[in-house]
Amino acid sequence: GENVEQHPSTLSVQEGDSAVIKCTYSDSASNYFPWYKQELGKRPQLIIDIRSNVGEKKDQRIAVTLNKTAKHFSLHITETQPEDSAVYFCAASKGGNKLTFGTGTQLKVEL
Amino acid sequence: GAVVSQHPSWVICKSGTSVKIECRSLDFQATTMFWYRQFPKQSLMLMATSNEGSKATYEQGVEKDKFLINHASLTLSTLTVTSAHPEDSSFYICSARAHSNTGELFFGEGSRLTVL
């Protein structure tokens, strides 16, 4: 089955700096890669996703890049703000099949 | 986006008792729902895929007789933790897709189970 690895497990940045979280996946047939933000005790919230026919996608301060050949994808957050502090999960799936999550990254944006 | 509602949001029970958690898709029909479990500071681990009108598909290592899943309608799936033990204490989250091919999952609020 699919295996998704995520790094780093914790990330601390200064407000205004950029944050980058990286994931790799094992199943070359995976074609959907979402990123979720989860605040303590809350449900995961989709923040951005990318499909295998696209190499990069951007939404305001958030961007995701995908390298299908290397089987890795990354989340980029620019101009970080304190409210960006949360746990971020990457995930991968094949079409409408089950989603496999990465291990999570605790992002802390310090003032 | 689509709305998935989960109930109860938290529950405390004694060891040996059973607990039922409901997951509803409020504004769409979901032929498939997914049940995840999340231990503190860990990732979401898929327990099973709930299929409307048929048996659930369980992930390796998940006991189907302990975690009973019923998906009797297109808007409701239930997870029953039978003979609960303290090690079953966790955050249980359900999710569903509004459209079978788009991939986006919508999550319920989660249910915090504490077994004493």
Side-chain angles (χ1 to χ4, degrees), chain B residues 76-99:
Chain B
L76 174 64
S77 175
T78 61
L79 168 67
T80 301
V81 182
T82 64
S83 187
H85 291 283
E87 56 265 32
D88 297 324
S89 299
S90 186
F91 193 50
Y92 293 86
I93 313 176
C94 69
S95 63
R97 283 195 173 87
H99 305 286

Short mmCIF file of all heavy atoms in Angstrom, two decimals, chain B residues 76-99:
data_model
loop_
_atom_site.label_atom_id
_atom_site.label_comp_id
_atom_site.label_asym_id
_atom_site.label_seq_id
_atom_site.Cartn_x
_atom_site.Cartn_y
_atom_site.Cartn_z
N LEU B 76 -25.45 8.20 6.46
CA LEU B 76 -25.10 7.83 7.84
C LEU B 76 -24.22 6.59 7.90
O LEU B 76 -24.53 5.56 7.32
CB LEU B 76 -26.37 7.58 8.65
CG LEU B 76 -26.18 7.04 10.08
CD1 LEU B 76 -25.46 8.08 10.93
CD2 LEU B 76 -27.53 6.69 10.69
N SER B 77 -23.14 6.74 8.62
CA SER B 77 -22.28 5.60 8.95
C SER B 77 -22.05 5.63 10.45
O SER B 77 -21.91 6.70 11.04
CB SER B 77 -20.94 5.68 8.22
OG SER B 77 -20.07 4.62 8.62
N THR B 78 -22.04 4.47 11.08
CA THR B 78 -21.79 4.42 12.51
C THR B 78 -20.61 3.51 12.82
O THR B 78 -20.38 2.51 12.14
CB THR B 78 -23.01 3.91 13.29
OG1 THR B 78 -23.33 2.58 12.85
CG2 THR B 78 -24.21 4.81 13.08
N LEU B 79 -19.86 3.91 13.84
CA LEU B 79 -18.74 3.12 14.34
C LEU B 79 -19.06 2.76 15.79
O LEU B 79 -19.30 3.66 16.61
CB LEU B 79 -17.44 3.91 14.28
CG LEU B 79 -16.24 3.34 15.03
CD1 LEU B 79 -15.77 2.05 14.39
CD2 LEU B 79 -15.10 4.35 15.08
N THR B 80 -19.09 1.49 16.10
CA THR B 80 -19.31 1.05 17.47
C THR B 80 -18.05 0.39 18.00
O THR B 80 -17.57 -0.59 17.43
CB THR B 80 -20.49 0.05 17.55
OG1 THR B 80 -21.67 0.68 17.05
CG2 THR B 80 -20.73 -0.37 18.99
N VAL B 81 -17.54 0.96 19.08
CA VAL B 81 -16.38 0.38 19.75
C VAL B 81 -16.93 -0.57 20.81
O VAL B 81 -17.56 -0.13 21.78
CB VAL B 81 -15.50 1.46 20.39
CG1 VAL B 81 -14.27 0.84 21.04
CG2 VAL B 81 -15.10 2.51 19.36
N THR B 82 -16.74 -1.84 20.61
CA THR B 82 -17.30 -2.84 21.53
C THR B 82 -16.30 -3.21 22.62
O THR B 82 -15.09 -3.20 22.39
CB THR B 82 -17.73 -4.09 20.78
OG1 THR B 82 -16.56 -4.70 20.20
CG2 THR B 82 -18.71 -3.77 19.67
N SER B 83 -16.82 -3.51 23.80
CA SER B 83 -15.99 -3.91 24.93
C SER B 83 -14.75 -3.01 25.02
O SER B 83 -13.61 -3.46 24.94
CB SER B 83 -15.57 -5.37 24.76
OG SER B 83 -14.88 -5.82 25.92
N ALA B 84 -15.03 -1.74 25.18
CA ALA B 84 -13.95 -0.74 25.15
C ALA B 84 -12.96 -0.93 26.30
O ALA B 84 -13.33 -1.31 27.41
CB ALA B 84 -14.55 0.65 25.19
N HIS B 85 -11.70 -0.64 26.00
CA HIS B 85 -10.63 -0.69 26.99
C HIS B 85 -9.89 0.64 26.97
O HIS B 85 -9.98 1.38 25.98
CB HIS B 85 -9.66 -1.84 26.67
CG HIS B 85 -10.26 -3.19 26.87
ND1 HIS B 85 -10.43 -3.75 28.12
CD2 HIS B 85 -10.76 -4.08 25.99
CE1 HIS B 85 -10.99 -4.94 27.99
NE2 HIS B 85 -11.21 -5.16 26.71
N PRO B 86 -9.16 0.95 28.03
CA PRO B 86 -8.45 2.24 28.07
C PRO B 86 -7.58 2.49 26.84
O PRO B 86 -7.46 3.64 26.41
CB PRO B 86 -7.62 2.12 29.35
CG PRO B 86 -8.45 1.27 30.24
CD PRO B 86 -9.06 0.24 29.32
N GLU B 87 -7.01 1.46 26.28
CA GLU B 87 -6.15 1.66 25.10
C GLU B 87 -6.93 2.05 23.84
O GLU B 87 -6.33 2.43 22.83
CB GLU B 87 -5.31 0.41 24.81
CG GLU B 87 -6.09 -0.85 24.63
CD GLU B 87 -6.20 -1.66 25.92
OE1 GLU B 87 -6.23 -1.06 27.01
OE2 GLU B 87 -6.26 -2.90 25.81
N ASP B 88 -8.27 1.97 23.92
CA ASP B 88 -9.11 2.42 22.81
C ASP B 88 -9.36 3.92 22.88
O ASP B 88 -9.93 4.50 21.94
CB ASP B 88 -10.45 1.69 22.81
CG ASP B 88 -10.30 0.19 22.60
OD1 ASP B 88 -9.39 -0.21 21.84
OD2 ASP B 88 -11.07 -0.57 23.22
N SER B 89 -8.95 4.53 23.99
CA SER B 89 -9.13 5.98 24.13
C SER B 89 -8.36 6.68 23.01
O SER B 89 -7.16 6.47 22.83
CB SER B 89 -8.60 6.45 25.49
OG SER B 89 -9.31 5.82 26.55
N SER B 90 -9.08 7.51 22.27
CA SER B 90 -8.47 8.15 21.10
C SER B 90 -9.45 9.16 20.52
O SER B 90 -10.56 9.34 21.03
CB SER B 90 -8.13 7.08 20.05
OG SER B 90 -7.42 7.64 18.97
N PHE B 91 -9.00 9.82 19.48
CA PHE B 91 -9.83 10.76 18.72
C PHE B 91 -10.24 10.02 17.46
O PHE B 91 -9.39 9.62 16.66
CB PHE B 91 -8.99 12.01 18.40
CG PHE B 91 -9.75 13.20 17.89
CD1 PHE B 91 -10.88 13.65 18.56
CD2 PHE B 91 -9.32 13.89 16.78
CE1 PHE B 91 -11.58 14.76 18.10
CE2 PHE B 91 -10.00 15.01 16.31
CZ PHE B 91 -11.13 15.44 16.98
N TYR B 92 -11.53 9.81 17.27
CA TYR B 92 -12.03 9.10 16.10
C TYR B 92 -12.67 10.11 15.15
O TYR B 92 -13.53 10.91 15.56
CB TYR B 92 -13.05 8.04 16.52
CG TYR B 92 -12.44 6.91 17.31
CD1 TYR B 92 -12.29 7.01 18.69
CD2 TYR B 92 -11.98 5.76 16.68
CE1 TYR B 92 -11.70 5.99 19.42
CE2 TYR B 92 -11.39 4.73 17.39
CZ TYR B 92 -11.26 4.85 18.77
OH TYR B 92 -10.67 3.83 19.49
N ILE B 93 -12.24 10.10 13.91
CA ILE B 93 -12.74 11.06 12.92
C ILE B 93 -13.25 10.33 11.69
O ILE B 93 -12.58 9.45 11.16
CB ILE B 93 -11.62 12.03 12.47
CG1 ILE B 93 -10.85 12.59 13.66
CG2 ILE B 93 -12.21 13.19 11.67
CD1 ILE B 93 -9.69 13.48 13.24
N CYS B 94 -14.42 10.74 11.25
CA CYS B 94 -14.94 10.16 10.01
C CYS B 94 -14.78 11.18 8.89
O CYS B 94 -14.57 12.37 9.13
CB CYS B 94 -16.41 9.77 10.15
SG CYS B 94 -17.52 11.18 10.28
N SER B 95 -14.83 10.69 7.67
CA SER B 95 -14.73 11.58 6.52
C SER B 95 -15.48 10.98 5.35
O SER B 95 -15.75 9.78 5.32
CB SER B 95 -13.27 11.83 6.15
OG SER B 95 -12.66 10.61 5.76
N ALA B 96 -15.80 11.83 4.40
CA ALA B 96 -16.53 11.38 3.22
C ALA B 96 -16.20 12.26 2.05
O ALA B 96 -15.77 13.40 2.21
CB ALA B 96 -18.04 11.42 3.50
N ARG B 97 -16.39 11.71 0.87
CA ARG B 97 -16.21 12.49 -0.35
C ARG B 97 -17.58 12.87 -0.90
O ARG B 97 -18.47 12.03 -0.97
CB ARG B 97 -15.46 11.66 -1.41
CG ARG B 97 -13.99 11.56 -1.16
CD ARG B 97 -13.26 11.07 -2.39
NE ARG B 97 -11.83 11.13 -2.16
CZ ARG B 97 -11.10 10.18 -1.59
NH1 ARG B 97 -11.70 9.06 -1.20
NH2 ARG B 97 -9.82 10.33 -1.41
N ALA B 98 -17.70 14.12 -1.30
CA ALA B 98 -18.96 14.56 -1.89
C ALA B 98 -19.07 14.10 -3.33
O ALA B 98 -20.16 13.87 -3.84
CB ALA B 98 -19.07 16.08 -1.81
N HIS B 99 -17.93 13.97 -3.99
CA HIS B 99 -17.92 13.52 -5.38
C HIS B 99 -16.87 12.44 -5.51
O HIS B 99 -15.73 12.64 -5.14
CB HIS B 99 -17.60 14.69 -6.31
CG HIS B 99 -18.52 15.85 -6.14
ND1 HIS B 99 -19.83 15.84 -6.60
CD2 HIS B 99 -18.36 17.03 -5.52
CE1 HIS B 99 -20.40 16.99 -6.29
NE2 HIS B 99 -19.53 17.73 -5.64
#
